[in-house]
Amino acid sequence: MDSRRFSLLCALVSALGLASCASDSSITLDYVPPPGGAQRGTPELTVGAFANKRGLDSRYLGTVKLPLGVPIEHLNSTAPVETVVANAFAHALENRGMLTDSDKARFLITGDVLELHSELLVHPYASAKVRMNIVEVGSGRVLFSKVYSAERQSAAYRPGSGSPLPILQELTSRALQDAVDRAVDDPAMRSKLAGSGGLRPRYTPGML
């Protein structure tokens, strides 16, 4: 066997060994209120259940890989993704003054987690995709349903510069928040609630 083939074989064996020894790490995602505040609404919504429709384990987020694509670390969330997404919607609604107790709510937000992913190969990257349903509590009718998505990526990671987990945690949190904020701020959704009597007109001084 020539030296080139031997080197390739050694690299393959080393990669397989690393893949079998990949470690598991967990991160906690967060929601940070948008700077400058957000468009407020009427407190008539509550958050119900979300379903994990990713085809993956509820806590799995992604992997940290070597440049050759060999996974060396599996990334998980500390809570199931369906719980994480529901909590993100609750935080977003609360920040906008739109969240209320379930016994007072006129509208219920439910939905599906279609994607919540984080990885590192060269560039740390995260993505989120969620389906939001607005259900009228009294009738059970689905008044509105739409899919929202977002992506975040940072500059190339330099091996040896420290753990990439804080970077991936931030990217994943912000990708999810971007998708959730787009959902609760969607003019089409708010207009639908207003048409159902959910959001009352807002007036400013001097208006007649």
Side-chain angles (χ1 to χ4, degrees), residues 8-200:
L8 289 174
L9 178 60
C10 289
L12 178 60
V13 170
S14 298
L16 291 175
L18 285 171
S20 64
C21 297
S23 60
D24 287 291
S25 297
S26 296
I27 59 173
T28 300
L29 305 186
D30 61 11
Y31 182 93
V32 179
Q39 180 185 357
R40 296 181 67 80
T42 304
E44 295 186 327
L45 295 102
T46 191
V47 180
F50 276 73
N52 176 23
K53 295 294 183 68
R54 305 178 307 154
L56 299 168
D57 180 83
S58 282
R59 294 177 186 267
Y60 180 75
L61 292 176
T63 55
V64 175
K65 300 177 182 178
L66 293 174
L68 292 176
V70 178
I72 59 172
E73 192 163 13
H74 300 298
L75 194 61
N76 302 282
S77 61
T78 54
V81 295
E82 54 269 34
T83 302
V84 170
V85 172
N87 288 343
F89 271 95
H91 282 298
L93 292 175
E94 183 177 36
N95 178 253
R96 290 158 175 79
M98 300 171 69
L99 184 68
T100 190
D101 297 333
S102 58
D103 59 341
K104 299 177 182 177
R106 297 188 64 234
F107 305 103
L108 174 70
I109 290 183
T110 66
D112 302 310
V113 185
L114 304 176
E115 183 176 320
L116 188 57
H117 176 72
S118 181
E119 70 175 23
L120 169 59
L121 182 54
V122 176
H123 294 273
Y125 168 83
S127 61
K129 181 185 292 186
V130 297
R131 177 181 290 109
M132 178 185 71
N133 304 318
I134 304 292
V135 180
E136 189 175 48
V137 173
S139 66
R141 292 185 302 140
V142 177
L143 301 178
F144 185 87
S145 183
K146 187 175 177 180
V147 173
Y148 301 86
S149 60
E151 298 178 327
R152 287 286 186 114
Q153 180 174 292
S154 70
Y157 172 76
R158 298 193 309 276
S161 61
S163 172
L165 294 186
I167 300 172
L168 293 171
Q169 179 180 21
E170 175 67 12
L171 291 176
T172 310
S173 295
R174 301 291 74 80
L176 175 58
Q177 181 170 343
D178 288 347
V180 170
D181 284 349
R182 289 171 187 171
V184 298
D185 290 332
D186 188 345
M189 181 276 285
R190 296 204 179 198
S191 176
K192 192 70 174 180
L193 295 189
S196 301
L199 295 177
R200 298 175 179 83

Side-chain angles (χ1 to χ4, degrees), residues 1-11:
M1 180 182 296
D2 60 43
S3 59
R4 183 170 179 273
R5 290 184 179 179
F6 180 75
S7 297
L8 289 174
L9 178 60
C10 289

